[in-house]
């Protein structure tokens, strides 16, 4: 049986006979001699209204159809006399594929996001979560389109790795050792006996691998899952998230900032064009200012200022912060949000951070105190992108690694890229879920990823 997606039927410019739709019943209403069914098949936000009258075979069966049931309906697409929809389907045949008993948790009423998280396997059948995950899908495609249009090559970087790109030590270990019988050497786990013969973890970033490919293919990007075992139970952190990381050879920090701004504007414009129906749901029920915020990003030139100037602004502000602001300390989310939401009221790029709070690979500035790093901050989110120009000078990179206590032996391959035809290059990483939060106004990162992984939560 060939089904037609409801999305396509609703765009029809003429009545059609013999169409088949399959989907899930949102509601059923009976009146004398008729039943009305609202069917959603996930292809779009809108439902198809189906009218079944008592002339069809098994009409009595229809009265058994409950909210959540899966059905297949054959009928004619006709102009709807009712208000609110152009088309409706007059059923010739209704087949119940799978009934949903009244224990189905998504009966017609509003449910809290907290409750829906406990049924993450079903929540995509609601309007809101259907919309989130359609936008997520479109956004993935838009990312590939953006880079393809600009000649970037897509690189699949490994998920299993022996290096800690960000140097924060927040890694999930991966082992094939018998956990009940761990081999030891000098009191420590002997990873030489493990699967890879070395301590292994899930990647925190594909950047180091992407750099190797930028230094071969020119402009590249990665887009894949990354993992962080940071035990911060916030509304902006998950343990497994997707990151987009472009890396450009022969590029400096300004090039990375320019690309980040162009990238965010492109993706925002793309989603406004491609997903307007779904976006309007968020603008109506989730964040009344959503469209203003999105238009604001599209029309602004992102403010660019140094970390030092950002610290000055924060110190001069009358705002009370929980965490102290001081040169040499990392900015907290409250500081970032103050800058982008209250002070500048638009996206902000902060650059030249103190080197002691940043990873080993960032390029040291001439002052020898700061590095060529940048973070992009947007309203409602704070940091959405982090990037830098990379240290391409062999001797300075090695000195920095020594200073930070990193093993040059472990990173021999990374160091070799600075030995053979080293070239200045830069890139950044964008948290995919953070962008989805920005685009939808959803305030908890758990609600924009299908099955969130957070401390003490691995169901589904
Ligand atoms: O700033 P981060 O740690 O930068 C890097 O990993 C670099 N290696 C990227 C690069 O230059 N290629 O992470 C980049 C972005 C952050 O700005 C944030 O949007 C997101 O990744 N992010 C998270 N998103 C969700 N949950 C978490 N725990 C995240 N940690 C970072
Ligand atoms: Mg960062």
């Amino acid at each position: 049986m060939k089904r037609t997606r409801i999305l396509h039927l609703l765009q029809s410019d003429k009545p059609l006979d013999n169409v088949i739709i399959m989907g899930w019943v949102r509601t059923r209403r009976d009146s004398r001699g008729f039943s009305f069914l609202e069917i959603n098949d996930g292809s779009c936000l809108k439902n198809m209204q189906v009218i079944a009258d008592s002339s069809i075979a098994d009409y009595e069966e229809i009265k058994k159809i409950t909210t959540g049931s899966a059905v297949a309906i054959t009928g004619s697409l006709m102009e709807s006399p009712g208000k609110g929809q152009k088309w409706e389907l007059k059923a010739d045949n209704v087949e119940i594929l799978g009934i949903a008993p009244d224990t189905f948790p998504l009966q017609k009423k509003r449910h809290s996001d907290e409750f829906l998280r406990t049924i993450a396997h079903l929540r995509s059948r609601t309007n809101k979560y259907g919309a989130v995950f359609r936008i997520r899908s479109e956004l993935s495609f838009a990312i590939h389109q953006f880079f393809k249009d600009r000649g970037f090559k897509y690189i699949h970087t490994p998920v299993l790795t022996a290096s800690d790109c960000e140097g924060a030590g927040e890694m999930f270990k991966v082992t094939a050792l018998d956990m009940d019988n761990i081999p030891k050497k000098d009191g420590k786990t002997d990873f030489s006996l493990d699967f890879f013969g070395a301590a292994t973890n899930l990647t925190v970033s594909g950047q180091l691998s992407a750099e190797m490919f930028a230094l071969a293919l020119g402009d590249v990007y990665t887009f894949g899952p990354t993992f962080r075992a940071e035990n911060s139970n916030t509304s902006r952190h998950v343990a497994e998230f997707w990151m987009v990381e472009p890396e450009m050879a022969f590029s400096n920090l300004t090039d990375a900032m320019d690309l980040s701004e162009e990238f965010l504007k492109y993706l925002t414009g793309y989603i406004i064009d491609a997903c307007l129906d779904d976006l309007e749901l968020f603008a109506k029920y989730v964040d009344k200012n959503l469209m203003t915020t999105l238009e604001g990003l599209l029309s602004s030139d992102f403010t660019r200022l140094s970390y030092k100037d950002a610290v000055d602004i924060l110190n001069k502000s009358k705002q009370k912060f929980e965490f102290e602001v001081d040169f040499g300390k990392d900015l907290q989310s409250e500081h970032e949000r103050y800058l982008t939401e209250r002070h500048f009221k638009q996206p902000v790029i902060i650059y030249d951070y103190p080197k002691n709070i940043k990873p080993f690979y960032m390029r040291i500035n001439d002052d020898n105190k700061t590095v060529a790093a940048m973070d992009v901050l947007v309203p409602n989110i704070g940091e959405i992108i982090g990037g830098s120009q990379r240290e391409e000078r062999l001797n300075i990179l090695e000195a920095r690694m020594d200073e930070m206590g990193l093993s040059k032996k472990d990173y021999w391959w990374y160091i070799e890229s600075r030995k053979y035809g080293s070239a200045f290059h830069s890139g950044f990483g964008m948290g995919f879920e953070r962008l989805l939060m920005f685009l939808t106004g959803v305030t908890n990162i758990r609600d924009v990823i299908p099955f969130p992984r957070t401390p003490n939560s691995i169901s589904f």
Side-chain angles (χ1 to χ4, degrees), residues 165-166 170 204-208 210-211 222 226-230 232 234 236-247 358-359 361-362 374-376 381-388 390 426-435 437 445:
C165 175
E166 295 306 293
E170 293 161 334
V204 297
S205 158
Q207 178 197 320
L208 303 186
E211 281 187 54
T222 72
T226 45
F227 306 85
R228 301 216 177 160
E230 50 190 336
S232 50
T234 80
R236 281 177 201 80
H237 292 88
V238 269
E240 176 177 337
F241 63 99
W242 284 62
M243 191 160 32
V244 186
E245 297 182 272
E247 192 70 35
K358 290 293 184 186
Y361 54 73
M362 294 188 176
M374 64 107 179
D375 274 4
V376 182
I381 307 295
E383 178 189 343
I384 195 164
I385 284 178
S388 68
R390 321 306 190 186
S426 65
F428 62 78
M430 182 194 72
F432 183 61
E433 286 74 21
R434 299 246 176 121
L435 180 62
M437 292 169 73
I445 196 165

